[in-house]
Amino acid sequence: MPRNIARLRYRLPPAPVSFEGIKPTQVRLLEKRVGQYVVRQSNPRHLKLQTVVNPKAKPLPTAQTTVRPIKPYTLRDVVDPEGTTKHGQVIYVFRSIKTNQIIYSLQELLDVHHLAQLPFIGKHSVPAQLRPDEWTPHCVITFATPEQGHNAFRKLREFRKLHEVSWHKTNPGWTQMKKEERIKKIMDQRANTSADMAEVLRLQEAHGEAMTVALQEQREKVAKFMDEKWQSIGTIAEAAAAGGGTTNNVKWLEHEIRRLTEKMKMKHLQKEEDQKALAAARASHETRLKRVQYALRKTEQFKALQAKLETQSAPAREAGAEAKLADLHARIAALRDALENPDPTRSQEHLDVDADLLERHTKDASDLEAAFVAKEQFESRDHHIARSVLPAALKKQLPTPYTLDGVTLMWADMKDAMYAAGAWPDAILHETLPVNRARDATAFLSAEEFEIEKRIEVGSILEALGQGKVTESEEDKAALYSELAAPAPEQKTGILGMLGSKNPFKSRSASA
């Protein structure tokens, strides 16, 4: 687990509200439960976006693999709500709202160790500590593979370092500025960040083409070598299985090796030239025997694995297997949503049934996905047994070529992309980072308005539960607004406001 994620303050989930077990006559209790449910549902979970780790949070115990279910709302929840991306596949870029300094991170939260990215170029150029109100999300870059993300991360940090320490080469006019103004200019990396990203993506696009050519050449060499090697292995195995000839007969080769070993012990064959001739003949037979045994063993392994893959891929070869997998994923998503936001009218037994059903659907989906993988290996005949005949030079897999397909940039302010206008590759997709989506979709009410809306919602829920029509009319709503909007009584100020209704200075005997 990354060291900054281990310092999050995880919260326990609230206890679920349930209407089960309440008798129809217990109207007050039901109304209270419904009120609790309305208050909970009206409180949005994701309003405050956390950008900095909590330094006061207690670290998780060592070797702990399970975490509490609820964690702070971070950029990862915005960019990757399902949590499917791997480490390095997403680069989070943060900007200081005071100095426009840029920090690149492979985690969704900033920690103190990220300040080491900023070089010291003058007084107050490196913050003494990370303040959550000073750092805001600048953009997020998502790549197709973690390797490509790590490559871009290194290049972006190197380019920013050059901007910060070699500024006199690109901007020689800054040497005439005052020191304070020059430091502000150097720290402002907002425009340079966009230019650096465009250049890094352009370099990766060119490098990806070269990687694609190299990978295609290796695949052609591998396919050619495997075809020739397996053809040779198949020929030897067929001849050995048929038992024809002597050079491919295992029993005859073993007999000849034993016979030559005994001849080497005979007294009249102890001359050096005789021993060399017998040893060479025995070595030739041993080499041939190993080759025949290897061919037979590999053939059996290949046939056994192909039969196993054919059996495993049977569900994927059925009609409608892809539609079935998509339906399972849809059901899993619906069940997870139902369990994360339980309906209070449902009992715990129904929730347990949903949990069991979710577990079964998850297992079925994983089994079907494994069947599709087995189907692909069975049809392409590309698995570990088939590749075991390759030499070490061809066994080494080349990295996945870099590609700009699927690379997205999500900007907190789309205007920042204009700093590199005309330099972005055509395949790059620019989007808006919806960091304030939940806040924009939330209606903020005053205490009086919230109380009115709460009563209206409680009444509608009680009516839906069969408790009769208890919703307020328009006259009742107007009276309720006027009652709650009435001015509060004037509060006492000063020392009198701090005192209670009783006089603490009045003696007990006097009051008696």
Side-chain angles (χ1 to χ4, degrees), residues 95 100 102 138 188-198 411 413-424 430:
R95 177 179 58 85
N100 281 335
I102 296 296
H138 182 66
D188 188 355
Q189 296 293 322
R190 187 169 187 172
N192 290 334
T193 300
S194 300
D196 294 344
M197 290 179 185
W411 299 89
D413 187 358
M414 189 62 71
K415 296 179 182 178
D416 291 321
M418 300 304 296
Y419 287 117
W424 296 105
H430 297 270

Side-chain angles (χ1 to χ4, degrees), residues 269-472:
L269 296 176
Q270 296 300 315
K271 293 181 180 180
E272 184 177 358
E273 57 272 13
D274 295 336
Q275 289 289 320
K276 287 183 178 181
L278 292 174
R282 186 178 65 177
S284 176
H285 288 317
E286 288 177 348
T287 303
R288 188 62 185 177
L289 177 62
K290 290 180 180 180
R291 186 176 300 173
V292 173
Q293 291 176 341
Y294 176 81
L296 291 173
R297 183 173 66 254
K298 283 299 177 183
T299 303
E300 288 297 325
Q301 291 177 354
F302 187 84
K303 290 181 179 179
L305 185 56
Q306 283 293 110
K308 181 180 178 181
L309 291 175
E310 185 178 8
T311 303
Q312 292 178 350
S313 62
R317 287 183 280 107
E318 296 178 356
E322 295 181 357
K324 181 180 178 181
L325 181 60
D327 181 62
L328 283 174
H329 285 311
R331 292 186 180 183
I332 289 172
L335 287 172
R336 284 178 178 171
D337 183 68
L339 290 175
E340 290 177 359
N341 304 294
D343 187 353
T345 59
R346 304 188 65 192
S347 62
Q348 185 61 37
E349 289 76 9
H350 290 90
L351 296 178
D352 294 339
V353 170
D354 286 350
D356 295 338
L357 190 61
L358 175 61
E359 184 177 357
R360 289 201 299 270
H361 284 343
T362 304
K363 183 179 182 303
D364 293 341
S366 61
D367 293 342
L368 192 54
E369 289 173 354
F372 275 103
V373 174
K375 177 186 175 183
E376 182 180 359
Q377 291 181 348
F378 173 76
E379 294 176 351
S380 63
R381 295 173 174 261
D382 188 6
H383 41 72
H384 66 281
I385 295 297
R387 300 181 66 86
S388 62
V389 299
L390 294 174
L394 294 179
K395 278 185 179 180
K396 184 178 180 180
Q397 291 281 357
L398 293 180
T400 305
Y402 296 160
T403 176
L404 299 187
D405 295 336
V407 177
T408 59
L409 274 90
M410 304 180 71
W411 299 89
D413 187 358
M414 189 62 71
K415 296 179 182 178
D416 291 321
M418 300 304 296
Y419 287 117
W424 296 105
D426 297 334
I428 297 301
L429 179 64
H430 297 270
E431 297 179 356
T432 302
L433 188 62
V435 291
N436 295 323
R437 179 189 297 171
R439 182 177 294 274
D440 296 339
T442 302
F444 293 93
L445 307 175
S446 63
E448 294 80 7
E449 294 173 343
F450 176 77
E451 187 65 26
I452 294 171
E453 295 296 333
K454 172 188 171 183
R455 292 191 183 184
I456 296 173
E457 185 68 20
V458 169
S460 61
I461 294 177
L462 290 175
E463 182 181 0
L465 293 176
Q467 294 298 322
K469 185 174 180 57
V470 294
T471 57
E472 289 87 346

Side-chain angles (χ1 to χ4, degrees), residues 127-173:
Q129 60 182 356
L130 279 172
R131 289 180 51 179
D133 58 336
E134 290 185 358
W135 293 92
T136 182
H138 182 66
C139 68
V140 176
I141 320 175
T142 305
F143 294 91
T145 59
E147 294 79 12
Q148 186 174 352
H150 283 113
N151 178 270
F153 181 73
R154 289 192 296 270
K155 280 185 168 56
L156 287 172
R157 290 189 58 179
E158 290 170 0
F159 286 167
R160 189 200 52 200
K161 190 76 170 180
L162 289 175
H163 291 308
E164 292 171 336
V165 300
S166 300
W167 53 268
H168 56 281
K169 297 181 180 180
T170 55
N171 299 280

